[in-house]
Amino acid sequence: MDIIHLLPDSVANQIAAGEVIQRPASCLKELVENSLDAGATDIKVLLYDSGRTMMQVIDNGKGMSETDARMAFERHATSKIKSADDLFALHTMGFRGEALASICAVAQVELLTCREEDEIGTRLEIHGSEVKLQEPCSCAKGTNIKVKNLFYNVPARRRFLKTDATELRNIIQEFYRIVLVNPQCRFCLTNNDELLLDLTAGNIKHRIEQVFGKSLNKQFTAGLVEIKSETDIVEIHGFVGKPEFAGKQAQQYFFVNNRYMRHPYFHKAIMTAYQGMLQPDQQPSYFIYFDVRPETIDVNIHPTKTEIKFSDEQPIWQILLATVRESLGKFNVVPSLDFDSEAGSASIIDIPQTATRGEMSGSFTQHDSGYNPFNEKNSYQPQWVSNNSNRTSSYADRKQPVQGWEKLYDNIIANAIGKEGEESGEGERDALFDVDLSQIVPFQLAGKYIVLPLPTGLFLLHQHRVHLSVMYENITAMLRQKRIPSQQLLFPEVIDMSAEECSLMSEAEEELRQSGFEFSQFSPSAYSLFGIPAIMDGHDAVAVIRRILASISDAGLSARATWQHLIALSLAADAAIPSGKPMSEAEMRSLVEQLLTLDNQKFTPDGKQMTSIIPLQDIEKIFRV
Ligand code: ADP
Ligand code: MG
């Protein structure tokens, strides 16, 4: 008997869908990119339960004819390329003709679409690749697509979805990558009818301001300098952060020909440009847009991959380095960007480009890599170096607190998903300066807060969170030295693990070993643990490992760069003084001293508030009448 048969299209599509549509964020990305490809200038996205129940994209693009609407859901149906040659002159985001076919294979899709020239539009319903309904209908010009119950017919995938909060975070991240490169388009994003982003059309800096400026503080956008260079092989423009605004979690975006990309090699060029200006664990923010001839990059990549190959990678690396260096070298003489100016207005700063352009345009060759504006300006000193010595304080070795915008960024996301978070005020940060702490007697409140009665008000510390941040700093310092010493367990522990935990364990093996865990796989569903980080003395190592794996799983496999951060965070949380533990005066004083050594004295590394001040004025208000 013959046993081979062809899979029905619906099944083949479902399998293929797994490639393109992995989670609500990837589905949304495809839909929004389609709207942009259709020339939309106004795109509204409505999510329910972070896209799990429903996501709807409404655009004012060119719409589809009745036949095209039906065709659009077939596999390899695209209006964007006709032959493989077209791939080399691609100006659209999509081209594979797979997205809609994939989406309709794993969801219930409803489409309304109408072209400018048509009187009447089309309504189409497709559930699991099966057309349920197609009829003429009157609807607005453009396309309105609803994707309901994603993965309703693929329970395994549905189970794989993370919490709504995590899925929403992924969506917002994906959304940023699109909106930052399409400032000409208006975007709205809501989740469960709550408005998360409302971005009006403007230019790039206006868009950056709308996305990161308002919810943070002015510091973020004021801390950016413009970069620009034009050569035969690439045009580069965008913004990079001043070194003193660098932090642990910076905003780093590369785009090429209007497409978001990751590019570790170009990232190195940027880090090289910042050499000597950053402390070891700091990252600069950047928003860098490359324009190259389409035939010089390989776009024939997997739709969910964000790495892009350049044929002129080496020279572009050098150009990027020189461009960023030049702008950084000039930033202290260039006025800060004013993001309050009118949207779309002409650039208000004009960085003289002569040196870089003169060196590079047309005649760019490898030896130009030696160009270094800093050599020409021996007097140049990174600002954070000179600033640091200005302030006097009774704690000679404490660092200048760096503004906490990078933590605040976490909080806009946290706010969006209903977690705690708020904007920074000047008060807290400076409250402890110019105070002789030896004269202040701290006391503990409710077993979990430390209160310092200062002349300016009541300064509050969340004891667990402050200690967590201190431990986090210590742990990351050890990790920078490559390894945390480990301590052998007398009796190895066997940990039973789910399949997901097992695969995370092997994925994150290197990071876990660096952190001092020693283990080997014991069976397909168990690991044996025989060494733990020495700093964990006496703690429940198994619980900590599970917590680490859960946080890595939440962050997603693509967020590998953050794994060390997550491990440090879990270890710190475990090692920190718990809430509810009574503390002696000496212990409280020591914790306050340690707080003062932190760069960010207001937020924990995961963006939670750890200190605050109740200003004296507020207390006086209570007693005014
Ligand atoms: P691709 O974008 O790779 O061409 P898709 O499956 O995403 O493949 O879309 C198939 C086709 O459907 C597109 O080529 C386009 O012609 C049409 N289409 C999809 N979304 C829209 C939209 N929002 N407005 C107009 N046309 C659209
Ligand atoms: Mg598409």
Side-chain angles (χ1 to χ4, degrees), residues 250-323:
Q251 302 304 320
Q252 301 182 330
Y253 290 90
F254 281 133
F255 302 94
V256 60
N257 295 1
N258 292 339
R259 195 183 286 270
Y260 170 81
M261 67 164 179
R262 268 176 37 79
H263 210 294
Y265 182 59
F266 289 168
H267 173 77
K268 279 222 187 79
I270 308 237
M271 295 310 284
T272 310
Y274 278 88
Q275 227 161 43
M277 295 184 224
L278 302 178
Q279 288 163 350
D281 54 346
Q282 287 185 323
Q283 290 281 329
S285 283
Y286 54 78
F287 303 86
I288 297 181
Y289 300 75
F290 299 85
D291 280 298
V292 297
R293 283 190 307 281
E295 62 270 25
T296 65
I297 51 171
D298 182 7
V299 288
N300 192 8
I301 39 149
H302 192 273
T304 58
K305 293 237 168 74
T306 46
E307 275 89 3
I308 288 190
K309 274 220 205 70
F310 287 67
S311 52
D312 298 317
E313 204 158 76
Q314 286 256 305
I316 294 178
W317 195 94
Q318 307 287 3
I319 294 171
L320 179 62
L321 170 65
T323 308

Side-chain angles (χ1 to χ4, degrees), residues 238-530:
F239 300 92
V240 295
K242 295 180 188 175
E244 75 267 32
F245 289 87
K248 289 202 185 68
Q249 295 155 0
Q251 302 304 320
Q252 301 182 330
Y253 290 90
F254 281 133
F255 302 94
V256 60
N257 295 1
N258 292 339
R259 195 183 286 270
Y260 170 81
M261 67 164 179
R262 268 176 37 79
H263 210 294
Y265 182 59
F266 289 168
H267 173 77
K268 279 222 187 79
I270 308 237
M271 295 310 284
T272 310
Y274 278 88
Q275 227 161 43
M277 295 184 224
L278 302 178
Q279 288 163 350
D281 54 346
Q282 287 185 323
Q283 290 281 329
S285 283
Y286 54 78
F287 303 86
I288 297 181
Y289 300 75
F290 299 85
D291 280 298
V292 297
R293 283 190 307 281
E295 62 270 25
T296 65
I297 51 171
D298 182 7
V299 288
N300 192 8
I301 39 149
H302 192 273
T304 58
K305 293 237 168 74
T306 46
E307 275 89 3
I308 288 190
K309 274 220 205 70
F310 287 67
S311 52
D312 298 317
E313 204 158 76
Q314 286 256 305
I316 294 178
W317 195 94
Q318 307 287 3
I319 294 171
L320 179 62
L321 170 65
T323 308
V324 174
R325 267 192 181 159
E326 193 210 15
S327 293
L328 286 178
K330 286 187 172 135
F331 78 75
N332 37 7
V333 297
V334 172
S336 291
L337 291 178
D338 178 8
F339 281 82
D340 277 343
S341 67
E342 278 295 286
S345 68
S347 168
I348 35 167
I349 57 164
D350 186 20
I351 300 177
Q353 293 297 322
T354 40
T356 317
R357 279 204 198 146
E359 291 257 345
M360 295 193 299
S361 60
S363 62
F364 184 83
T365 50
Q366 289 283 334
H367 74 260
D368 282 356
S369 60
Y371 173 68
N372 178 353
F374 295 150
N375 293 342
E376 297 163 17
K377 295 187 196 166
N378 293 330
S379 61
Y380 175 80
Q381 244 213 332
Q383 272 196 346
W384 61 267
V385 175
S386 48
N387 278 355
N388 246 358
S389 53
N390 288 344
R391 212 140 179 182
T392 53
S393 86
S394 48
Y395 296 84
D397 60 348
R398 79 192 184 197
K399 293 188 225 152
Q400 173 89 355
V402 171
Q403 310 286 358
W405 62 265
E406 74 278 19
K407 302 299 182 315
L408 295 170
Y409 162 69
D410 279 351
N411 283 300
I412 58 167
I413 301 287
N415 276 338
I417 57 184
K419 283 212 236 129
E420 65 187 290
E422 61 168 281
E423 288 215 15
S424 158
E426 288 294 315
E428 291 82 343
R429 240 185 339 260
D430 291 335
L432 292 181
F433 273 109
D434 310 320
V435 172
D436 181 359
L437 287 171
S438 65
Q439 300 301 311
I440 308 279
V441 182
F443 62 92
Q444 202 181 19
L445 180 68
K448 54 182 172 176
Y449 305 108
I450 296 170
V451 185
L452 301 176
L454 303 182
T456 48
L458 290 176
F459 191 87
L460 308 175
L461 283 78
H462 188 294
Q463 69 189 40
H464 172 70
R465 291 181 183 176
V466 170
H467 196 219
L468 179 151
S469 305
V470 170
M471 293 305 293
Y472 175 88
E473 284 302 323
N474 295 345
I475 291 167
T476 43
M478 281 193 259
L479 283 173
R480 267 201 303 280
Q481 310 299 323
K482 272 291 158 258
R483 214 188 152 84
I484 296 183
S486 78
Q487 176 194 337
Q488 300 296 306
L489 292 177
L490 221 44
F491 305 102
E493 286 209 54
V494 174
I495 319 173
D496 289 322
M497 289 189 170
S498 70
E500 195 199 358
E501 283 176 324
C502 273
S503 77
L504 284 170
M505 208 55 193
S506 74
E507 285 268 356
E509 182 172 340
E510 191 189 325
E511 287 82 0
L512 286 167
R513 287 194 194 284
Q514 271 170 11
S515 315
F517 288 102
E518 291 183 3
F519 51 87
S520 62
Q521 184 144 19
F522 182 71
S523 77
S525 63
Y527 267 82
S528 142
L529 181 68
F530 42 89

